[in-house]
Amino acid sequence: MSAAAKRDVGLSKDALLKQYRKRLKDDVRSMSDNLSEIVKLCRIEDETQVVTATTAEDYALEMQVRASNMVRAGESLMKLVSDLKQYLILNDFPSVNEAIAENSNLFKDTQASCDRKLTDMRDEMATDLYELEEEYYSSSYK
């Protein structure tokens, strides 16, 4: 891989990680801000305050919207975790290279074992064939 290609991969990796950090901060901030606003709506400011039905409905609607925003941020965080897992699995080159090396060594050992067995079989067959030829040519029935 050329130096320019490595630099491009590094830049894209850094950019992707920065994007993940930004998503994390934004989603956590969204959850925190919406929860703070819901708590503020629940606070009773004056004991003698009479809340009209429309104000109560307005507060209830705002709470639902903020709760929906919190759910959306939570789902976004779950998607972020999934993306991070996928990124780790796909870009964990040392582990992938180690697994490839292990498989390569296993296959080389298997190949060497098969080669030894075939060589032994060839030698046994050559010996048996030699004995059969000896028997045939020394036989009185030919």
Side-chain angles (χ1 to χ4, degrees):
M1 193 184 280
S2 70
K6 286 182 181 178
R7 189 171 6 99
D8 290 343
V9 169
L11 288 175
S12 64
K13 180 180 176 183
D14 288 341
L16 187 62
L17 292 175
K18 284 180 184 178
Q19 180 188 8
Y20 286 158
R21 279 190 207 105
K22 183 181 179 330
R23 282 175 52 190
L24 174 67
K25 288 178 183 178
D26 290 347
D27 290 337
V28 170
R29 184 179 305 115
S30 173
M31 290 181 85
S32 175
D33 291 347
N34 282 300
L35 181 62
S36 297
E37 291 300 318
I38 288 174
V39 169
K40 285 179 187 176
L41 287 172
C42 295
R43 190 173 9 175
I44 299 175
E45 295 175 7
D46 186 7
E47 290 182 16
T48 61
Q49 176 184 12
V50 177
V51 180
T52 62
T54 57
T55 307
E57 277 297 314
D58 186 40
Y59 286 170
L61 180 62
E62 186 175 348
M63 284 183 192
Q64 287 177 354
V65 169
R66 292 196 177 276
S68 296
N69 288 341
M70 289 176 65
V71 169
R72 185 213 47 83
E75 288 174 348
S76 178
L77 286 171
M78 290 182 0
K79 174 73 169 115
L80 177 63
V81 169
S82 174
D83 289 348
L84 286 170
K85 286 179 182 178
Q86 182 179 10
Y87 176 80
L88 179 64
I89 290 169
L90 294 178
N91 295 309
D92 189 13
F93 294 118
S95 296
V96 171
N97 289 339
E98 183 179 325
I100 290 171
E102 286 177 14
N103 283 340
S104 177
N105 289 335
L106 176 68
F107 295 143
K108 284 179 182 177
D109 292 343
T110 303
Q111 179 186 6
S113 173
C114 288
D115 287 345
R116 279 192 306 273
K117 289 178 183 176
L118 286 171
T119 303
D120 292 344
M121 192 183 302
R122 182 200 62 196
D123 293 343
E124 287 176 19
M125 289 176 73
T127 303
D128 291 344
L129 182 62
Y130 178 77
E131 290 174 3
L132 287 170
E133 286 176 347
E134 281 284 321
E135 183 69 29
Y136 175 76
Y137 290 121
S138 64
S139 167
S140 61
Y141 298 109
K142 47 176 193 171

